Amino acid sequence: MTKRVYSFKEGNAEMKGLLGGKGANLAEMTRLGLPVPNGFTISTEACMDYLNNGQKFTEDLKEEIESYLGQLEKESGKAFNDKENMMLVSVRSGSKFSMPGMMDTVLNLGLNDENVEHLAAVTNDEAFAYDCYRRLLQMFGDVVYGIDTSHFENFLEFYKRKNRVQLDSDLTAAQLKEIVREYKRIYLEIKKQEFPQEPREQLFAAVTAVFNSWNNERAKVYRKLHNIADDLGTAVNIQLMVFGNSGENSGTGVAFTRNPATGENKLFGEYLINAQGEDVVAGIRTPNPISELQDSMPEIYQEFLAMGERLEKHYGDMQDIEFTIENKKLYLLQTRNGKRTAHAAFKIAVDLVDEGLKTKEGAILSLDPQSVNQLLHPIFVEEALKNAELISKVGLPASPGSATGRICFDANTAKEWTDRGEKVVLVRQETSPEDIGGMVVSEAIVTSRGGMTSHAAVVARGMGTCCVAGCSELEIDEFLKTIKYPNGELTEGDVISVDGSNGDLYVGEVELTLSEKNEYFETIMAWSKELSRLDVRMNAETTSDIKTGIAFDASGIGLARTEHMFFAPERLIEMRRFIISEKAEERRAALDTILNYQIDDFKGIFKANNGHSTVIRLLDPPLHEFVPNKTQDIERVAKEMNISYNFLQHRINELHEINPMLGHRGCRLAITYPELYLMQAEAIIRSTIELKKEQGLDVAPEIMIPLVGMEGELSLLKEKVEAHIQTVMKSEETSVSYTLGTMIELPRACLIADELAKDADFFSFGTNDLTQMTFGFSRDDAAKYINQYVADGILPIDPFQTIDMDGVGELIRMAVEKTRQIKPTMKIGVCGELGGDPTSIEFFDQLGLDYVSCSPYRVPVAHLAAAQSAIKLKK
């Protein structure tokens, strides 16, 4: 028979996967000799067996539970239904990862109409006995029978008001008996059945309910939010009851060994006299600060303080401890690593190293890389959020941070309003490169379409601007300038608040608080750089983005996109002239003008990056993105270019593509318009030469050709680009260092990586497009269905947010192995948004890549994740 049940004496802290966090820690505290009420744990494997077995108990499991019940009765000298030594137990859930409040608990199990009288006689406290019974009836009714707890709560409040009783603890025995009778009547009215009187029947029903709670809606949502797998199951802990509600010398509480909000090394918590644990959590009464226990029960306080210090030293981390005091005897019911704010987490991690309780490696591993976002972006005041009117919670948290502003529906209005001192939020169905001017000045960006790697999301993250994308329940009418949402309508100029960290939107202004770097953050980042193998670069091309990345200690630029450089009005007109003109001299003149702009662009990038490694991606998007598509815009551009409307419309029609993401873009443009890439390569080299002459700055640019899928594309373009660069350097009578590589973003490129490696000096995986091409998902439209795929278990996670290891990951693995066979030391990096995702970073580290590159504001996240990966791989 497979073992599915473990006494607290059989387990330890390393068995969280099997016993759940609560069971493993109860076992560990038992092993340490701490005052833990005795009990046993039914394993997570038993839970999954039950759920996968049509929600049925096997006879073997029933027999094993009965065996451990008998053992508990023998060791405690108590038994169910024993008049003199009655055994009552709690039934609590406990999964591998802490999920506070998500699953279910039943206390005082074993009471019935007869046993409550015996308990009253033995304790000589009828009120205490019936208080325990009414609690059992309410919790059992809620957890096991699914009776809405409001039925019990509403009656209790009505009864207290009627009898002018303020607190539950003030109820008399006679009153509690009346409440118990009403609670039992609620069972008959709602469920048409009585409360079960047999304790063992109660126990198995409660265990069943806790197993089922693994799949309740709130548990599913919590797991999704925290990326907890659905196949772990929950353990069930059966533990002897101790009673914090047995008088004025009893109580219950929760305490942290350090302040979870600030990280201060001081006991922090709350307790209630004459109460059970659920009272503290439910907020039925206002608890007292734990410090007051020092006055009311000084010996208990000192004992608890010593136990807290011991547990913190033992676990090497701040502890969250549940405790009960029964007639001035202290019991510990749970300990776990306490949840804390990002500010507190960084301070505690550094302090624990300084105190000798953690190593640097342990401190790094204790931190959640994503929590860095809380430190670097403004956040809403928690209390203000509670009073704010919600617009929507269905958007994607595309770029973290919080902001408030007036709604604008187009880039021009956004710029006009910010020029007059207004703060704005740009709201669009989706954004395009021509919206960049409005995006730059906006406090936040909201779209009803698009995913985590949509244009809005990628650009917003690069700018450090908060963004909620793909908020599908918004009806955005850009013409009428209105937003319809489930509970109302907003118009242009209305104020909204945007929470880019959670994907939530609110009506009106919500109070913000600044969240800034501090000494603890700087220390953790320094340790991360010291322990990492992977370099972390930034995706950046503007001076402000580059400065941000450098401030976060990026080792260079892994991706500078050049397409955004063409959308300023004076450049766009020249680009359009090049695209639309049929005369060679006009096209050359347009490119000559653009060349000068590009030289200035690249000089600015190289100067801002201060000589660090810089990858410049040559033009990638299809040409149709540069031409107008609305009638009034076509008329205006035709006038600007001094050509007829019909001619311009004809050229636009020629450029139109059914599926431009799979069309005439990237290196394909350079095959048909080689002068475009030659102009850009010349601009890169001339800017490098000028910086060397003017400032003595040595730059070795890494020139990247995008969308290569055939060896012939790369070899042909390399030959042309290098020949042109040689001509430029010869004309300037100087030479500069450069490398020429390619972006691997097509599955075919992965399959022939060894062939491409012969002509390339470096590779960089463009994971956004590689994921799109591998799945056949449009990264801008996938948000419409990707969440359903995840919810239905078709996909474990959105592959645009975390690497799809089985498909995209295998292609990257294959490409790396093929490349290393040809050029063992060739530089290989990643420059898609997955370069800032901790899970993906660990995968890239395992493959032996040289660097990851991500948005500037994700650089600290990547540093911490890279350090964690290095530590794990070393182990």
Side-chain angles (χ1 to χ4, degrees):
M1 183 176 77
T2 304
K3 186 174 176 61
R4 290 288 186 259
V5 184
Y6 297 78
S7 75
F8 292 169
K9 295 172 185 174
E10 293 178 298
N12 60 60
E14 303 302 315
M15 298 171 69
K16 288 184 179 179
L18 187 66
L19 303 180
K22 187 173 294 181
N25 287 330
L26 285 168
E28 186 74 4
M29 288 194 292
T30 300
R31 192 176 67 82
L32 293 173
L34 293 169
V36 175
N38 197 9
F40 59 88
T41 301
I42 305 168
S43 71
T44 57
E45 291 178 351
C47 173
M48 293 313 297
D49 285 348
Y50 165 83
L51 294 173
N52 295 329
N53 191 36
Q55 297 182 323
K56 293 177 183 176
F57 272 100
T58 64
E59 287 303 317
D60 285 349
L61 180 58
K62 285 183 181 178
E63 289 176 14
E64 198 173 359
I65 293 171
E66 286 284 3
S67 171
Y68 274 82
L69 267 177
Q71 185 178 318
L72 184 60
E73 289 176 329
K74 183 178 178 181
E75 291 176 354
S76 66
K78 299 179 179 182
F80 284 142
N81 298 325
D82 188 313
K83 295 180 181 180
E84 300 299 324
N85 294 294
M86 187 186 307
M87 182 175 77
L88 300 180
V89 298
S90 65
V91 179
R92 295 174 183 264
S93 62
S95 65
K96 179 179 179 180
F97 299 105
S98 176
M99 297 170 59
M102 292 303 110
M103 293 176 293
D104 295 320
T105 295
V106 178
L107 302 180
N108 308 308
L109 190 141
L111 283 176
N112 54 31
D113 293 347
E114 187 176 340
N115 284 343
V116 70
E117 293 292 341
H118 298 321
L119 182 63
V122 169
T123 60
N124 197 28
D125 191 341
E126 205 173 25
F128 160 70
Y130 276 91
D131 182 54
C132 291
Y133 197 18
R134 66 100 183 168
R135 291 171 183 272
L136 170 62
L137 286 165
Q138 179 168 341
M139 297 177 94
F140 193 94
D142 174 26
V143 171
V144 179
Y145 282 178
I147 301 172
D148 192 319
T149 194
S150 65
H151 291 289
F152 302 106
E153 287 292 343
N154 291 342
F155 175 76
L156 183 62
E157 286 306 309
F158 162 77
Y159 188 89
K160 286 195 300 184
R161 281 197 307 272
K162 177 184 172 185
N163 291 277
R164 297 180 181 177
V165 174
Q166 186 174 2
L167 301 175
D168 295 359
S169 54
D170 294 335
L171 291 163
T172 66
Q175 290 170 332
L176 285 162
K177 286 181 180 180
E178 286 188 51
I179 292 168
V180 163
R181 280 195 292 272
E182 176 61 23
Y183 278 13
K184 289 164 67 179
R185 192 195 64 76
I186 290 172
Y187 275 74
L188 290 171
E189 181 183 325
I190 304 296
K191 295 301 292 184
K192 305 295 188 289
Q193 60 188 100
E194 294 184 343
F195 171 73
Q197 295 292 302
E198 170 52 46
R200 275 173 165 72
E201 183 185 345
Q202 294 174 15
L203 179 75
F204 280 101
V207 171
T208 299
V210 173
F211 279 168
N212 288 332
S213 74
W214 177 251
N215 282 330
N216 70 35
E217 195 57 37
R218 65 182 185 273
K220 287 179 180 177
V221 170
Y222 187 92
R223 290 201 297 273
K224 183 178 179 182
L225 286 173
H226 293 85
N227 295 322
I228 298 172
D230 288 327
D231 60 357
L232 300 178
T234 180
V236 182
N237 299 290
I238 313 296
Q239 188 174 25
L240 290 175
M241 280 295 302
V242 287
F243 300 97
N245 61 326
S246 56
E248 294 304 308
N249 290 326
S250 302
T252 187
V254 177
F256 296 81
T257 53
R258 299 177 190 237
N259 189 310
T262 66
E264 181 186 8
N265 189 2
K266 183 180 178 182
L267 192 64
F268 176 93
E270 298 171 324
Y271 77 103
L272 280 171
I273 291 294
N274 196 16
Q276 288 196 342
E278 297 306 303
D279 296 346
V280 178
V281 177
I284 295 168
R285 289 159 54 190
T286 303
N288 306 311
I290 191 73
S291 57
E292 291 184 10
L293 190 63
Q294 191 168 9
D295 299 323
S296 59
M297 297 183 189
E299 291 180 3
I300 293 290
Y301 180 81
Q302 291 303 323
E303 187 182 1
F304 182 81
L305 198 62
M307 289 180 185
E309 289 176 0
R310 184 179 175 190
L311 284 169
E312 186 174 271
K313 286 178 182 176
H314 181 75
Y315 284 99
D317 204 350
M318 181 259 274
Q319 293 299 290
D320 169 5
I321 305 167
E322 292 180 17
F323 65 93
T324 287
I325 304 161
E326 182 182 82
N327 296 320
K328 289 202 170 181
K329 181 170 174 54
L330 177 64
Y331 295 93
L332 302 186
L333 304 182
Q334 175 171 306
T335 192
R336 59 189 173 195
N337 292 343
K339 294 189 180 298
R340 63 209 78 175
T341 65
H343 283 282
F346 278 68
K347 174 174 168 49
I348 289 169
V350 174
D351 286 350
L352 289 174
V353 174
D354 291 342
E355 294 164 25
L357 295 180
K358 273 192 187 298
T359 61
K360 288 180 184 178
E361 289 82 357
I364 293 292
L365 289 175
S366 73
L367 296 166
D368 175 9
Q370 300 290 14
S371 70
V372 172
N373 292 325
Q374 291 181 37
L375 294 172
L376 305 178
H377 295 272
I379 57 174
F380 290 128
V381 175
E382 198 65 39
E383 203 58 39
L385 278 181
K386 293 177 184 176
N387 302 317
E389 180 185 345
L390 185 71
I391 296 172
S392 173
K393 290 183 77 71
V394 307
L396 298 170
S399 183
S402 304
T404 295
R406 297 189 179 279
I407 299 169
C408 288
F409 290 88
D410 64 88
N412 289 334
T413 304
K415 285 186 285 186
E416 287 171 12
W417 287 16
T418 51
D419 286 344
R420 69 187 194 208
E422 297 276 5
K423 290 185 176 181
V424 304
V425 173
L426 182 64
V427 179
R428 306 275 293 156
Q429 290 181 356
E430 56 190 328
T431 62
S432 70
E434 291 204 60
D435 292 319
I436 193 71
M439 298 172 77
V440 166
V441 299
S442 296
E443 300 296 311
I445 298 158
V446 176
T447 68
S448 58
R449 301 175 187 162
M452 293 292 284
T453 54
S454 64
H455 177 267
V458 172
V459 174
R461 282 195 291 269
M463 297 187 300
T465 301
C466 80
C467 174
V468 172
C471 193
S472 55
E473 65 181 2
L474 301 185
E475 290 181 32
I476 298 173
D477 191 320
E478 294 170 3
F479 178 74
L480 295 176
K481 299 187 183 299
T482 61
I483 302 171
K484 289 182 180 178
Y485 62 99
N487 293 319
E489 182 172 332
L490 298 163
T491 59
E492 188 163 69
D494 288 342
V495 174
I496 63 170
S497 293
V498 182
D499 183 346
S501 301
N502 296 303
D504 301 340
L505 306 174
Y506 299 90
V507 175
E509 183 172 354
V510 178
E511 184 183 354
L512 286 164
T513 182
L514 288 177
S515 192
E516 299 177 346
K517 293 191 294 180
N518 56 47
E519 60 182 298
Y520 306 106
F521 171 84
E522 300 289 1
T523 300
I524 292 294
M525 288 298 109
W527 291 348
S528 297
K529 287 271 287 184
E530 174 190 324
L531 295 168
S532 300
R533 185 197 66 82
L534 275 172
D535 272 344
V536 177
R537 297 190 185 187
M538 59 180 139
N539 300 339
E541 55 273 350
T542 67
T543 301
S544 61
D545 283 355
I546 296 168
K547 285 180 177 177
T548 299
I550 288 174
F552 291 138
D553 217 6
S555 61
I557 295 175
L559 175 64
R561 306 171 183 89
T562 56
E563 50 269 21
H564 296 155
M565 302 171 184
F566 291 89
F567 283 96
E570 70 279 3
R571 299 162 183 234
L572 188 57
I573 189 70
E574 296 300 331
M575 189 64 180
R576 286 169 170 167
R577 204 182 306 282
F578 168 77
I579 294 168
I580 291 164
S581 178
E582 293 181 324
K583 298 177 181 177
E585 62 273 16
E586 287 184 1
R587 294 164 69 90
R588 274 197 303 272
L591 279 185
D592 286 344
T593 303
I594 296 172
L595 172 67
N596 292 322
Y597 287 134
Q598 288 269 270
I599 291 171
D600 290 340
D601 291 332
F602 297 135
K603 283 177 72 174
I605 289 172
F606 296 141
K607 282 167 66 176
N609 202 28
N610 200 26
H612 290 110
S613 302
T614 306
V615 175
I616 304 285
R617 183 178 72 185
L618 302 181
L619 201 63
D620 182 48
L623 294 181
H624 81 94
E625 288 195 10
F626 297 99
V627 295
N629 53 32
K630 294 179 180 177
T631 301
Q632 61 267 37
D633 291 334
I634 296 172
E635 289 173 347
R636 174 177 53 79
V637 171
K639 187 178 292 185
E640 287 175 354
M641 297 184 65
N642 196 29
I643 56 178
S644 72
Y645 175 92
N646 289 338
F647 176 75
L648 179 55
Q649 183 67 69
H650 171 71
R651 289 291 290 132
I652 290 170
N653 291 341
E654 287 183 331
L655 291 169
H656 175 73
E657 296 183 70
I658 301 298
N659 192 343
M661 286 305 292
L662 298 177
H664 196 186
R665 53 173 283 233
C667 67
R668 299 160 195 167
L669 273 178
I671 298 294
T672 52
Y673 299 96
E675 58 268 42
L676 261 179
Y677 275 17
L678 299 185
M679 176 274 295
Q680 286 196 295
E682 180 175 344
I684 292 169
I685 296 303
R686 288 194 181 278
S687 66
T688 305
I689 291 170
E690 288 183 19
L691 282 176
K692 189 173 182 179
K693 288 179 179 177
E694 295 167 5
Q695 300 182 14
L697 184 65
D698 278 321
V699 178
E702 299 168 45
I703 303 170
M704 186 161 70
I705 297 174
L707 213 70
V708 167
M710 291 169 267
E711 193 274 334
E713 290 173 321
L714 183 58
S715 61
L716 176 63
L717 291 175
K718 180 184 179 182
E719 181 181 347
K720 289 184 176 182
V721 168
E722 287 194 330
H724 191 67
I725 287 174
Q726 291 302 317
T727 301
V728 171
M729 290 195 293
K730 188 175 181 180
S731 70
E732 294 294 325
E733 298 181 342
T734 188
S735 65
V736 293
S737 298
Y738 71 94
T739 51
L740 192 66
T742 189
M743 200 175 202
I744 304 290
E745 48 198 323
L746 298 176
R748 192 176 194 278
C750 295
L751 298 173
I752 62 162
D754 48 349
E755 294 180 31
L756 296 177
K758 295 171 185 174
D759 288 311
D761 298 318
F762 67 90
F763 283 159
S764 182
F765 289 99
T767 55
N768 295 347
D769 262 354
L770 184 57
T771 300
Q772 177 174 239
M773 301 294 188
T774 301
F775 276 96
F777 290 164
S778 163
R779 71 189 198 201
D780 289 325
D781 298 319
K784 295 174 184 175
Y785 52 82
I786 208 87
N787 288 340
Q788 193 64 49
Y789 271 58
V790 174
D792 291 345
I794 300 169
L795 283 171
I797 199 164
D798 184 343
F800 291 107
Q801 297 181 51
T802 296
I803 187 75
D804 160 48
M805 294 183 192
D806 295 338
V808 178
E810 275 305 300
L811 285 170
I812 294 174
R813 186 192 304 278
M814 181 190 305
V816 171
E817 289 173 355
K818 284 175 170 283
T819 301
R820 298 291 190 213
Q821 289 170 5
I822 301 298
K823 293 182 177 177
T825 61
M826 185 163 129
K827 190 185 295 181
I828 306 177
V830 165
C831 59
E833 281 302 296
L834 299 188
D837 171 66
T839 302
S840 306
I841 287 170
E842 186 172 340
F843 177 76
F844 299 140
D845 199 12
Q846 290 171 355
L847 294 186
L849 269 59
D850 297 291
Y851 68 86
V852 294
S853 187
C854 55
S855 303
Y857 276 91
R858 298 187 80 178
V859 166
V861 175
H863 275 313
L864 184 51
Q868 290 180 340
S869 174
I871 294 165
K872 292 174 188 175
L873 289 176
K874 193 173 181 181
K875 285 183 177 181

